[in-house]
Structure formats: C-alpha cells, structure tokens
Amino acid sequence: MTQERQEQEAPAVWRRVKDSSGLAEPRVLVRAFVGPGELEGAIGFYERAQGRTADARFAFGALRLATVGAFLLIEGAEEDLRPYRATTGTLLVDDVRPYLERLVAGGAEVVHALQEVPTGAGFTVRHPDGTVVEYVHHRPTADGA
C-alpha cells in the first residue's frame, strides 16, 4: 500500500493508548518540528533512534502530529508552525485540571486556555521562569479514536 493511500485511510486520531488517566507520572514529550511532507521520514528516524514505534498520530488544524517515545513530531508549513515554536515541550498527564489549578496558584500565566483538543483536553502556560509548556490529557473520542 502506498504512503498516500495509507494516509487517506488512516483515522484522524490514532493512539495505541487512548486514555492517559492511568498515568502514574507525566510523559514528557520533546517537540520536534518538520516541514511539509517530512513527518514519515521523521517518524522513521525517531523510531530507529529510540528502538520504539510511533504510538499516536493525529491532525490539529493544518498540522500533522505523531508521538514516538519521548518525542512529539509536528509537521506543517512554517507559518502554521510558528505559533507553536515557543512552547518548550508537552506533558501528557492523567488529568489536566489539577495541573492547571496548581500552576496558576503557583504563578504560571495561561498562554492558551483549557480547551478540548482532538485527543482530549489541554492548555499551555508560561511558568514563572519563562518556560512555556503545553499540558494535555488523552481521552477516547466518541468514534473510538
């Protein structure tokens, strides 16, 4: 099957583990940005480098994303990637709400408010030291993705 055909048949959201509510600790995802048409090659590189296979793929607006081990790969045109480059990383957590409460109480500034996203829910904050981090949790969608 060709790559183009696989992408056409792939669900909009695919995750090996659909629900992060059982996480004992956050999964840290380092962001890696790639240009249009480079996601598949990046997935292959990070799979070989870590000895792990991709465990999620999904779209977010004009962007295509995948997770491989400790990396969140984000593919898009530069103008689409630009708003996300300032974010240092992503933490996949069991439930974002307690994190949001603790972070704001500790002086973090909300950059992007809590919102439903294709994989569950998430928000982005600037920590008091200036580090910008996205916090997300995964939940199954109505279509089972």
Side-chain angles (χ1 to χ4, degrees):
M1 184 179 300
T2 68
Q3 178 180 332
E4 182 178 314
R5 183 165 170 77
Q6 286 174 334
E7 289 174 3
Q8 289 173 349
E9 293 179 2
V13 176
W14 171 82
R15 296 165 290 178
R16 184 171 296 128
V17 177
K18 297 174 180 12
D19 190 336
S20 65
S21 62
L23 283 178
E25 58 186 46
R27 177 180 175 188
V28 177
L29 297 169
V30 177
R31 289 177 168 214
F33 298 95
V34 298
E38 297 177 1
L39 184 62
E40 296 306 317
I43 290 171
F45 171 82
Y46 284 98
E47 286 179 333
R48 290 185 301 277
Q50 297 177 92
R52 303 193 54 174
T53 59
D55 62 347
R57 292 174 182 248
F58 52 96
F60 183 71
L63 305 174
R64 292 180 48 221
L65 297 89
T67 56
V68 182
F71 291 87
L72 173 62
L73 310 177
I74 307 172
E75 177 194 74
E78 183 53 39
E79 60 270 14
D80 296 320
L81 293 173
R82 192 170 295 115
Y84 302 96
R85 286 192 179 274
T87 302
T88 302
T90 298
L91 266 67
L92 177 61
V93 300
D94 58 343
D95 183 356
V96 294
R97 285 162 188 83
Y99 281 86
L100 180 58
E101 291 171 11
R102 290 192 302 261
L103 288 159
V104 170
E109 172 193 350
V110 175
V111 176
H112 297 291
L114 179 62
Q115 65 177 341
E116 297 297 315
V117 295
T119 54
F123 65 90
T124 303
V125 295
R126 180 174 293 104
H127 295 177
D129 65 4
T131 304
V132 179
V133 179
E134 174 191 41
Y135 291 78
V136 298
H137 69 227
H138 286 181
R139 297 294 185 267
T141 61
D143 65 0

